[in-house]
Amino acid sequence: MSFAALERRTPPLVALALALALAVVAVSTSAILVRWSAAPSAVKALYRVVFTTALLLPWALTRYRADFRRLRPRDALVAGVTGIALAVHFAAWFESLAWTSVAASVTLVQSQPLFVALGAWALLDERVTRRRVVGILVAVVGMVAMSLGDFLSGVALAGQRPLYGNALAVLGAVAAAGYVLAGRSVRQRVSLVPYVTVVYTACAVTLLALVVWEGQALVGYPPREWLLFAAMAVGPGLFGHTVINWVLAHVDSSVVSVSLLGEPIGSTLLALVLLPGEVPSLPTVVGGAVVLLGIAVTTTGAAAADRGSGDVGESDPPDDVERATVGVDEQD
């Protein structure tokens, strides 16, 4: 059964709630799996994308061959650019987890809706409401508090490099925002599976080039590492963001966006239990709460603005789904 057939069915509200809860739990495991792996960051990112693509490819080539034939060269080019942006997102975020806490890294990388709002205003001439501006400013204050708070409290001198790790997480958020902005128009014309197949392929090629450039080994890793690579693809990839994109066809974007703020919380709680010594500092906790508040204000404000402008409505489901994917389509 195709995604199109699934989206034509309206499941019960309880099923949607359970699916969204499952997806949030699945994406929350991503940072833990990355931390458990001892492989280089670029290698982890590469094999996560390769395994995800391998799982989708047979389905894409058997059920969506007609969609691939209809794919226009310009759309394929834009999808390739989004894949490069996604590769930068993965490489930066995976590396950030080596230098800062799970709580800080996941919270900062989840801030990408803020950069989507800024990019849409600067590049797409979209209206920025006062509420969005307030949300962005609140989140920026939280980011500064997280980074400088840890540095001034001496955490930066304890062996980690939180400023560097936090900066990489923000870079990952900016790259994810670029991924979303570049692909917004394409997703209005191209169905999900062919689109992500092209994106993931371009992402994998980019990450492969990065691994080769860094001189990292492509093989020779123990079985435990290969299991972790596969878990990153199946858990956060398929059960996480694939389910999220399915839910978005039936649930308002503001509900999904705010629900995804559970990812930093879930990742932090899992890190406390599963990663020895992973206790976030007070500045990280306080600053992270401020960042999440800013993201919530920004995303709910964006959804309200879309409804108020009349751009999104029940009579235009494809556009509704496309607008809803802003902020959640990156594959953390």
Side-chain angles (χ1 to χ4, degrees), residues 2 7 36 73 78 88 100-101 104-105 120 128 153-154 173 179 181 236 249 252 268 271 275 281 302 304 320 332:
S2 67
E7 288 185 357
W36 276 345
V78 174
V88 174
T100 190
S101 67
S105 179
V128 178
S153 65
Y179 159 76
L181 290 169
D252 188 82
T268 301
L275 298 177
S281 65
D320 183 42
D332 282 350

mmCIF file of all heavy atoms in Angstrom, residues 2 7 36 73 78 88 100-101 104-105 120 128 153-154 173 179 181 236 249 252 268 271 275 281 302 304 320 332:
data_model
loop_
_atom_site.group_PDB
_atom_site.id
_atom_site.type_symbol
_atom_site.label_atom_id
_atom_site.label_comp_id
_atom_site.label_asym_id
_atom_site.label_seq_id
_atom_site.Cartn_x
_atom_site.Cartn_y
_atom_site.Cartn_z
ATOM 1 N N SER A 2 0.536 2.251 -0.820
ATOM 2 C CA SER A 2 1.331 3.464 -0.922
ATOM 3 C C SER A 2 0.974 4.442 0.180
ATOM 4 O O SER A 2 -0.070 4.320 0.838
ATOM 5 C CB SER A 2 1.094 4.122 -2.284
ATOM 6 O OG SER A 2 -0.231 4.588 -2.368
ATOM 7 N N GLU A 7 -2.885 7.967 3.278
ATOM 8 C CA GLU A 7 -3.327 9.307 3.617
ATOM 9 C C GLU A 7 -4.796 9.521 3.283
ATOM 10 O O GLU A 7 -5.428 10.423 3.826
ATOM 11 C CB GLU A 7 -2.452 10.340 2.901
ATOM 12 C CG GLU A 7 -1.054 10.426 3.487
ATOM 13 C CD GLU A 7 -0.221 11.539 2.852
ATOM 14 O OE1 GLU A 7 -0.730 12.189 1.917
ATOM 15 O OE2 GLU A 7 0.910 11.740 3.303
ATOM 16 N N TRP A 36 26.236 6.191 21.705
ATOM 17 C CA TRP A 36 26.697 4.818 21.942
ATOM 18 C C TRP A 36 27.701 4.369 20.883
ATOM 19 O O TRP A 36 28.549 3.527 21.145
ATOM 20 C CB TRP A 36 25.502 3.861 21.947
ATOM 21 C CG TRP A 36 24.804 3.778 23.280
ATOM 22 C CD1 TRP A 36 25.292 4.221 24.482
ATOM 23 C CD2 TRP A 36 23.521 3.216 23.538
ATOM 24 N NE1 TRP A 36 24.381 3.970 25.482
ATOM 25 C CE2 TRP A 36 23.283 3.353 24.934
ATOM 26 C CE3 TRP A 36 22.549 2.629 22.749
ATOM 27 C CZ2 TRP A 36 22.105 2.907 25.531
ATOM 28 C CZ3 TRP A 36 21.379 2.187 23.338
ATOM 29 C CH2 TRP A 36 21.169 2.325 24.713
ATOM 30 N N PRO A 73 13.533 17.624 -14.291
ATOM 31 C CA PRO A 73 14.947 17.853 -13.963
ATOM 32 C C PRO A 73 15.141 18.937 -12.914
ATOM 33 O O PRO A 73 16.004 18.803 -12.037
ATOM 34 C CB PRO A 73 15.555 18.249 -15.313
ATOM 35 C CG PRO A 73 14.669 17.618 -16.331
ATOM 36 C CD PRO A 73 13.285 17.655 -15.750
ATOM 37 N N VAL A 78 16.631 20.446 -7.285
ATOM 38 C CA VAL A 78 16.320 21.028 -5.979
ATOM 39 C C VAL A 78 16.371 19.949 -4.895
ATOM 40 O O VAL A 78 16.874 20.177 -3.789
ATOM 41 C CB VAL A 78 14.944 21.713 -5.999
ATOM 42 C CG1 VAL A 78 14.553 22.182 -4.599
ATOM 43 C CG2 VAL A 78 14.960 22.901 -6.953
ATOM 44 N N VAL A 88 24.830 18.170 5.614
ATOM 45 C CA VAL A 88 25.469 19.122 6.530
ATOM 46 C C VAL A 88 24.797 19.067 7.899
ATOM 47 O O VAL A 88 25.471 19.097 8.949
ATOM 48 C CB VAL A 88 25.400 20.545 5.953
ATOM 49 C CG1 VAL A 88 25.934 21.570 6.956
ATOM 50 C CG2 VAL A 88 26.183 20.635 4.646
ATOM 51 N N THR A 100 29.277 18.373 23.414
ATOM 52 C CA THR A 100 28.381 19.028 24.361
ATOM 53 C C THR A 100 27.374 18.010 24.865
ATOM 54 O O THR A 100 27.355 16.864 24.404
ATOM 55 C CB THR A 100 27.671 20.238 23.719
ATOM 56 O OG1 THR A 100 26.998 20.989 24.730
ATOM 57 C CG2 THR A 100 26.672 19.808 22.659
ATOM 58 N N SER A 101 26.553 18.406 25.800
ATOM 59 C CA SER A 101 25.608 17.467 26.403
ATOM 60 C C SER A 101 24.484 17.134 25.423
ATOM 61 O O SER A 101 24.189 17.888 24.490
ATOM 62 C CB SER A 101 25.008 18.068 27.680
ATOM 63 O OG SER A 101 24.184 19.175 27.369
ATOM 64 N N ALA A 104 21.761 19.890 25.565
ATOM 65 C CA ALA A 104 22.059 21.113 24.813
ATOM 66 C C ALA A 104 22.010 20.852 23.310
ATOM 67 O O ALA A 104 21.406 21.622 22.550
ATOM 68 C CB ALA A 104 23.426 21.653 25.211
ATOM 69 N N SER A 105 22.625 19.762 22.866
ATOM 70 C CA SER A 105 22.710 19.488 21.432
ATOM 71 C C SER A 105 21.328 19.289 20.819
ATOM 72 O O SER A 105 21.002 19.876 19.772
ATOM 73 C CB SER A 105 23.575 18.246 21.191
ATOM 74 O OG SER A 105 23.653 17.941 19.814
ATOM 75 N N ALA A 120 12.248 32.074 5.476
ATOM 76 C CA ALA A 120 11.040 32.318 4.701
ATOM 77 C C ALA A 120 10.791 33.806 4.547
ATOM 78 O O ALA A 120 10.326 34.276 3.499
ATOM 79 C CB ALA A 120 9.846 31.640 5.371
ATOM 80 N N VAL A 128 6.219 37.905 8.571
ATOM 81 C CA VAL A 128 6.653 37.512 9.914
ATOM 82 C C VAL A 128 5.808 38.285 10.918
ATOM 83 O O VAL A 128 5.879 39.508 10.992
ATOM 84 C CB VAL A 128 8.148 37.811 10.143
ATOM 85 C CG1 VAL A 128 8.556 37.424 11.561
ATOM 86 C CG2 VAL A 128 8.994 37.055 9.127
ATOM 87 N N SER A 153 30.288 28.894 33.955
ATOM 88 C CA SER A 153 30.239 28.063 35.150
ATOM 89 C C SER A 153 31.395 27.085 35.232
ATOM 90 O O SER A 153 31.538 26.365 36.210
ATOM 91 C CB SER A 153 28.917 27.278 35.197
ATOM 92 O OG SER A 153 28.855 26.356 34.123
ATOM 93 N N GLY A 154 32.228 27.022 34.178
ATOM 94 C CA GLY A 154 33.409 26.177 34.211
ATOM 95 C C GLY A 154 33.252 24.833 33.551
ATOM 96 O O GLY A 154 34.201 24.054 33.497
ATOM 97 N N ALA A 173 20.994 23.018 12.889
ATOM 98 C CA ALA A 173 19.646 23.574 12.794
ATOM 99 C C ALA A 173 19.504 24.459 11.561
ATOM 100 O O ALA A 173 18.486 24.415 10.862
ATOM 101 C CB ALA A 173 19.323 24.371 14.059
ATOM 102 N N TYR A 179 17.322 22.830 4.323
ATOM 103 C CA TYR A 179 16.731 21.623 3.740
ATOM 104 C C TYR A 179 15.223 21.792 3.567
ATOM 105 O O TYR A 179 14.651 21.463 2.519
ATOM 106 C CB TYR A 179 17.066 20.445 4.652
ATOM 107 C CG TYR A 179 16.182 19.242 4.541
ATOM 108 C CD1 TYR A 179 16.290 18.368 3.472
ATOM 109 C CD2 TYR A 179 15.243 18.959 5.532
ATOM 110 C CE1 TYR A 179 15.488 17.251 3.384
ATOM 111 C CE2 TYR A 179 14.436 17.846 5.452
ATOM 112 C CZ TYR A 179 14.556 16.996 4.376
ATOM 113 O OH TYR A 179 13.752 15.893 4.290
ATOM 114 N N LEU A 181 13.449 24.708 3.548
ATOM 115 C CA LEU A 181 13.127 25.803 2.630
ATOM 116 C C LEU A 181 13.354 25.410 1.175
ATOM 117 O O LEU A 181 12.567 25.758 0.293
ATOM 118 C CB LEU A 181 13.967 27.035 2.985
ATOM 119 C CG LEU A 181 13.597 27.733 4.296
ATOM 120 C CD1 LEU A 181 14.672 28.757 4.664
ATOM 121 C CD2 LEU A 181 12.238 28.403 4.190
ATOM 122 N N PRO A 236 14.779 6.262 14.701
ATOM 123 C CA PRO A 236 14.514 7.681 14.411
ATOM 124 C C PRO A 236 14.109 7.937 12.965
ATOM 125 O O PRO A 236 13.333 8.854 12.693
ATOM 126 C CB PRO A 236 15.852 8.354 14.731
ATOM 127 C CG PRO A 236 16.564 7.412 15.631
ATOM 128 C CD PRO A 236 16.140 6.041 15.230
ATOM 129 N N ALA A 249 -0.654 14.408 7.739
ATOM 130 C CA ALA A 249 -1.753 14.435 6.780
ATOM 131 C C ALA A 249 -3.104 14.524 7.484
ATOM 132 O O ALA A 249 -4.109 14.829 6.847
ATOM 133 C CB ALA A 249 -1.714 13.185 5.898
ATOM 134 N N ASP A 252 -3.250 18.843 12.771
ATOM 135 C CA ASP A 252 -2.801 20.220 12.562
ATOM 136 C C ASP A 252 -1.308 20.353 12.843
ATOM 137 O O ASP A 252 -0.767 19.746 13.770
ATOM 138 C CB ASP A 252 -3.590 21.163 13.486
ATOM 139 C CG ASP A 252 -3.306 22.618 13.179
ATOM 140 O OD1 ASP A 252 -3.914 23.148 12.242
ATOM 141 O OD2 ASP A 252 -2.456 23.209 13.868
ATOM 142 N N THR A 268 16.927 13.926 26.803
ATOM 143 C CA THR A 268 17.605 14.251 28.069
ATOM 144 C C THR A 268 17.316 13.197 29.129
ATOM 145 O O THR A 268 18.222 12.753 29.852
ATOM 146 C CB THR A 268 17.158 15.635 28.564
ATOM 147 O OG1 THR A 268 17.470 16.621 27.568
ATOM 148 C CG2 THR A 268 17.847 16.000 29.864
ATOM 149 N N ALA A 271 19.162 10.054 28.304
ATOM 150 C CA ALA A 271 20.591 10.221 28.576
ATOM 151 C C ALA A 271 20.888 10.092 30.065
ATOM 152 O O ALA A 271 21.916 9.524 30.456
ATOM 153 C CB ALA A 271 21.061 11.584 28.069
ATOM 154 N N LEU A 275 23.255 7.042 29.776
ATOM 155 C CA LEU A 275 24.607 7.544 29.551
ATOM 156 C C LEU A 275 25.217 7.985 30.877
ATOM 157 O O LEU A 275 24.750 8.961 31.485
ATOM 158 C CB LEU A 275 24.593 8.720 28.569
ATOM 159 C CG LEU A 275 24.073 8.418 27.168
ATOM 160 C CD1 LEU A 275 24.044 9.694 26.334
ATOM 161 C CD2 LEU A 275 24.923 7.353 26.485
ATOM 162 N N SER A 281 23.777 20.687 33.121
ATOM 163 C CA SER A 281 24.013 21.738 34.100
ATOM 164 C C SER A 281 22.783 22.619 34.240
ATOM 165 O O SER A 281 21.867 22.587 33.413
ATOM 166 C CB SER A 281 25.211 22.584 33.662
ATOM 167 O OG SER A 281 24.911 23.272 32.463
ATOM 168 N N ALA A 302 3.178 30.506 13.731
ATOM 169 C CA ALA A 302 3.221 30.264 12.286
ATOM 170 C C ALA A 302 1.951 29.571 11.818
ATOM 171 O O ALA A 302 1.377 29.921 10.779
ATOM 172 C CB ALA A 302 4.446 29.415 11.944
ATOM 173 N N ALA A 304 -0.987 29.662 13.282
ATOM 174 C CA ALA A 304 -2.097 30.607 13.386
ATOM 175 C C ALA A 304 -2.089 31.594 12.230
ATOM 176 O O ALA A 304 -3.137 31.957 11.688
ATOM 177 C CB ALA A 304 -2.014 31.344 14.720
ATOM 178 N N ASP A 320 -1.634 21.847 2.561
ATOM 179 C CA ASP A 320 -1.675 21.802 4.018
ATOM 180 C C ASP A 320 -0.579 20.901 4.555
ATOM 181 O O ASP A 320 0.109 21.236 5.507
ATOM 182 C CB ASP A 320 -3.053 21.276 4.459
ATOM 183 C CG ASP A 320 -3.207 21.258 5.960
ATOM 184 O OD1 ASP A 320 -2.778 22.220 6.592
ATOM 185 O OD2 ASP A 320 -3.766 20.277 6.481
ATOM 186 N N ASP A 332 16.169 13.875 12.035
ATOM 187 C CA ASP A 332 16.970 13.660 13.239
ATOM 188 C C ASP A 332 16.753 12.254 13.750
ATOM 189 O O ASP A 332 17.549 11.707 14.468
ATOM 190 C CB ASP A 332 16.549 14.648 14.323
ATOM 191 C CG ASP A 332 17.114 16.036 14.085
ATOM 192 O OD1 ASP A 332 17.957 16.176 13.205
ATOM 193 O OD2 ASP A 332 16.712 16.961 14.772
#
